[in-house]
Amino acid sequence: MKNLPQKVRSRKLNSRVDLTAMVSVSFLLIIFFMVTIELRKPKAVDLSLPNNDCDDCHPGCVDETRIYTILLDDNNKIITYSGLLEFPLEIPKEIIYGQNGIRKELLQKRKNILEYSASIGKPKNGPIVIIKPSKKSNFKNLVDILDEMEITKIDTYAIVNEFTPEETKLLASK
């Protein structure tokens, strides 16, 4: 018998795919999307509002001696007054930004109001600051005032964008 040529069998190679790079890329994508989702979440400023418990009158009332209003206008102008503008506890005045301006005034108001509150038996009732930026004021001024609230440890304040006619006249006159 003749030697029949043997069939040449092809050798099968190991077909193994290395997925190391694919796993690394997928983890990088997961981390990227987690970070972008976290950065996209809106950030908010904590806002403390006055308590609604009033001893002698209807709910929601506030002692007007605790109210201090800050009006922000263009050219870094600040006008402040205590109480209600119809019956202010002191004459509205113009104040500058900075350590010797609004910060000094806020620290003094806080001290006076806390002393007054302690004298009437409510030692935790601090000042209530109403911040009213006008349409002419810039964003930096609002951020500066919010920084002053944090520095002076005034935790009850509100940003209001509605002006009374008296406040509009006050801004126009000063």
Side-chain angles (χ1 to χ4, degrees):
M1 278 204 164
K2 284 188 184 178
N3 274 346
L4 292 172
Q6 290 184 351
K7 284 187 177 180
V8 178
R9 295 187 92 178
S10 62
R11 236 168 126 207
K12 291 192 176 183
L13 298 173
N14 281 343
S15 57
R16 197 174 139 209
V17 178
D18 187 17
L19 295 177
T20 307
M22 183 72 119
V23 170
S24 297
V25 169
S26 63
F27 276 119
L28 285 173
L29 285 172
I30 289 170
I31 290 170
F32 171 76
F33 286 117
M34 287 174 59
V35 168
T36 55
I37 287 171
E38 188 63 32
L39 292 176
R40 190 162 184 250
K41 288 181 181 175
K43 304 291 185 227
V45 176
D46 289 334
L47 181 64
S48 299
L49 296 175
N51 295 333
N52 282 338
D53 54 344
C54 233
D55 297 336
D56 302 327
C57 53
H58 65 283
C61 69
V62 176
D63 185 5
E64 62 192 39
T65 58
R66 295 177 55 204
I67 299 174
Y68 187 66
T69 304
I70 300 174
L71 305 175
L72 305 177
D73 205 12
D74 61 342
N75 299 326
N76 298 330
K77 186 164 73 169
I78 304 173
I79 298 174
T80 63
Y81 62 91
S82 293
L84 303 174
L85 190 56
E86 295 82 27
F87 309 104
L89 300 175
E90 61 184 43
I91 300 171
K93 59 183 170 183
E94 191 169 335
I95 298 179
I96 60 170
Y97 284 93
Q99 186 173 358
N100 293 324
I102 190 67
R103 185 176 308 162
K104 185 177 179 182
E105 184 74 16
L106 286 171
L107 287 170
Q108 186 63 42
K109 285 291 174 196
R110 182 175 182 269
K111 180 183 171 204
N112 292 347
I113 291 171
L114 286 173
E115 286 173 358
Y116 168 76
S117 295
S119 70
I120 62 169
K122 297 180 181 182
K124 294 184 180 179
N125 286 353
I128 299 170
V129 178
I130 301 172
I131 303 167
K132 293 188 174 188
S134 71
K135 292 181 181 177
K136 297 177 187 176
S137 69
N138 58 33
F139 188 70
K140 180 188 179 304
N141 292 351
L142 180 61
V143 170
D144 289 343
I145 288 296
L146 293 176
D147 286 342
E148 295 297 338
M149 295 295 120
E150 191 68 29
I151 291 168
T152 57
K153 307 266 189 282
I154 295 176
D155 59 352
T156 306
Y157 57 89
I159 301 170
V160 179
N161 62 358
E162 295 175 9
F163 283 80
T164 63
E166 293 85 14
E167 289 170 335
T168 307
K169 289 177 190 173
L170 180 65
L171 284 176
S173 68
K174 294 246 178 186

